[in-house]
Amino acid sequence: MKLSHKLSLGFLSLVALTAGLGTFATLRMFSVSDGAESLSDRYVPQLRIASNTQVHAWTLAAAGRAFGITGDNRWYDLTQQEIKNLEKDIQEAEDLVKAQPQLVKLKEQSAVLRETFEKYKGMFATTAEAFVRVDAARVSMDRSIREYASLLDA
């Protein structure tokens, strides 16, 4: 075998090896691209929703407790705002589950969160109604005391 044939054969084998490696690299890049899309479409939104939900739930709990202790309307307003924020977060989670059915855990957890959240809203409404009744009783008692004091002065 001549040297030129050997060089040609060596060169062709290098070309074939390079083409094979290029094909392999291209296929792997498509696989990585699919994984990146999966991350950006499924898991990153899930983490954002979970983070927002956690912050809003903590703020809601603190504001709700503060309102329950003080009856201050500033805490009531903050609680109502956080209820809206948490409602939005839960809806986003439910929408993401509909768009990405592979998120089975999120589906389960958002259902539990929805149920617990509805119970909390009911309890908070009961607390707010109790404060309204207490305020009405306070006004009535103040009126009664003034009437009694005016009778004593007469």
Side-chain angles (χ1 to χ4, degrees), residues 10-137:
F11 182 71
L12 285 175
S13 63
L14 282 176
V15 168
L17 183 65
T18 304
L21 287 175
T23 303
F24 176 75
T26 302
L27 292 175
R28 293 297 297 163
M29 283 192 320
F30 286 131
S31 172
V32 169
S33 174
D34 291 342
E37 286 178 18
S38 172
L39 280 174
S40 71
D41 293 344
R42 292 182 201 149
Y43 300 107
V44 171
Q46 182 179 2
L47 289 174
R48 181 186 50 76
I49 290 169
S51 176
N52 289 344
T53 301
Q54 184 178 31
V55 168
H56 293 140
W58 286 346
T59 307
L60 174 62
R65 286 186 194 120
F67 175 72
I69 292 169
T70 65
D72 188 340
N73 282 334
R74 290 178 299 160
W75 293 114
Y76 176 82
D77 294 340
L78 180 58
T79 302
Q80 291 299 319
Q81 181 60 43
E82 289 306 317
I83 284 174
K84 290 176 188 172
N85 289 340
L86 198 53
E87 181 74 42
K88 183 179 136 235
D89 293 339
I90 294 170
Q91 187 60 50
E92 283 182 17
E94 291 169 348
D95 292 345
L96 182 60
V97 166
K98 287 177 188 170
Q100 302 291 335
Q102 303 89 343
L103 301 173
V104 177
K105 288 256 187 197
L106 181 62
K107 182 178 183 177
E108 295 168 1
Q109 292 172 348
S110 63
V112 170
L113 180 60
R114 169 69 72 188
E115 181 182 335
T116 307
F117 177 63
E118 294 302 326
K119 287 179 185 175
Y120 182 85
K121 284 191 330 187
M123 290 187 292
F124 183 75
T126 302
T127 302
E129 290 167 8
F131 271 104
V132 167
R133 288 193 306 274
V134 166
D135 286 342

